[in-house]
Amino acid sequence: MTHSSLRTNHRCRVLLACGLGAFLVLSLLLAISWGAASIPLGRTATYLWSAVTGGAISSSDVTEYTVVAEIRTPRAVMAAVVGAGLSALGIAAQAMVRNPLADPFILGISSGASVGASAVVSWGILSSFGVYALSAAAFVGALIASVLVYALSRSSGGIAPVRLILTGVVLSFGFQALMSAIVFFDAKGDAARTVMFWMLGSLGGASWAQLPLAGAVTLGVIAYLWYRAPDLDVLSMGDGSSASLGVDPEALRRRLFLLTVIGTATLVSVAGTIGFVGLVIPHLTRIVLGPAHRPATVLAPLFGAVFMVWVDLLSRFAVPPRELPLGVMTALIGVPVFVLLIRRRGYVFGGAR
């Protein structure tokens, strides 16, 4: 590829990133403005400006201001953060195990989190955490599952990608069975619906208090992947090629494992299990940009953020006054789009069509 072609590709990627960033801002404004009681964009922007600057509002606008500033804005921003984070973690998981079917939940993290969540609903554990009991228990459950997967998949030769995947899948079934047993024997009898809705993903409980941690973790994941993008390109060639090119595949895989565990556990604890995003968005990004990891680590989070904001918005409008779980919407929208794109000739992952 000539130097001129490289410059053109770089310029196109920069323009695409700027375009996605602008569309993300517009999407956030629309998500904050639209709802059961829609608020005009002009007034929405005014309320947001007052919230940022501490400006005064009239007493007649207090209700609308509260809806915009305290309910819809943290939810819309959390949707963008979760979408960006899951997309970046999908890149990390697929690079770690060199498997196109990998996603952030391949390590059994979501199943472990579901056990913690069901324990809160059925047994009331960690009740001292108040409204954060569900998130805290899900986070702890996810970490326990990850430790078990790591311990059982590690051998004297390090972490083999195939063993890691198989261990994660097998333990996922075990944790799902344990969660089902907890819900089945629940004395109150209403745990199944609550746990199922949480497992399919929801941002109904998003708040400003949850955003700093989720946002910091997501930014940290993206920054690390961007910094190590050349090493991820080398790792995709195989362990032998990586070692010959000066990259320690075992050490890098351990770091990616830790990154995936912390990032996924954090996002699952605040939003539940939102499938499909971490699997599909990285592939859609590669279809558009090619296999290089550095542009993917910038644009995949933007794609994921935009996608998640619109998915959350549609979940609120699909069957009013009820709200569809996010996992249902991601599948309904993403599956047909992904099938159409994946059938395009020329898409390659890891050298296999």
Side-chain angles (χ1 to χ4, degrees), residues 129-152:
F129 284 81
V131 295
Y132 300 108
L134 187 66
S135 297
F139 186 83
V140 172
L143 290 183
I144 292 173
S146 304
V147 170
L148 286 174
V149 170
Y150 181 84
L152 294 175

Side-chain angles (χ1 to χ4, degrees), residues 114-199:
S114 68
V115 172
S118 60
V120 168
V121 175
S122 299
W123 300 337
I125 66 170
L126 299 181
S127 57
S128 60
F129 284 81
V131 295
Y132 300 108
L134 187 66
S135 297
F139 186 83
V140 172
L143 290 183
I144 292 173
S146 304
V147 170
L148 286 174
V149 170
Y150 181 84
L152 294 175
S153 62
R154 194 173 187 278
S155 66
S156 58
I159 304 176
V162 174
R163 187 185 298 114
L164 187 61
I165 294 174
L166 290 176
T167 305
V169 170
V170 169
L171 286 184
S172 290
F173 283 109
F175 283 120
Q176 288 172 11
L178 180 57
M179 181 272 295
S180 299
I182 293 173
V183 171
F184 182 79
F185 289 105
D186 176 52
K188 299 187 291 294
D190 58 356
R193 180 179 176 83
T194 302
V195 173
M196 182 60 66
F197 194 83
W198 180 86
M199 284 184 64

Side-chain angles (χ1 to χ4, degrees), residues 29 32-33 39-58 61 64-66 68-69 73:
L29 286 174
I32 296 168
S33 175
I39 301 171
L41 275 176
R43 289 215 301 271
T44 298
T46 300
Y47 295 146
L48 290 174
W49 181 252
S50 297
V52 171
T53 61
I57 59 170
S58 64
D61 292 333
E64 285 189 346
Y65 173 83
T66 302
V68 167
T73 300

Side-chain angles (χ1 to χ4, degrees), residues 34-36 75 197 309-330 332-333:
W34 293 348
R75 176 169 182 156
F197 194 83
V309 168
W310 281 99
V311 163
D312 182 53
L313 182 60
L314 291 174
S315 74
R316 293 189 275 136
F317 279 99
V319 287
R322 301 177 66 182
E323 180 180 312
L324 276 179
L326 295 178
V328 174
M329 293 302 302
T330 56
L332 290 176
I333 296 172

Side-chain angles (χ1 to χ4, degrees), residues 202-216:
S202 173
L203 292 169
S207 65
W208 286 116
Q210 295 173 326
L211 271 170
L213 178 60

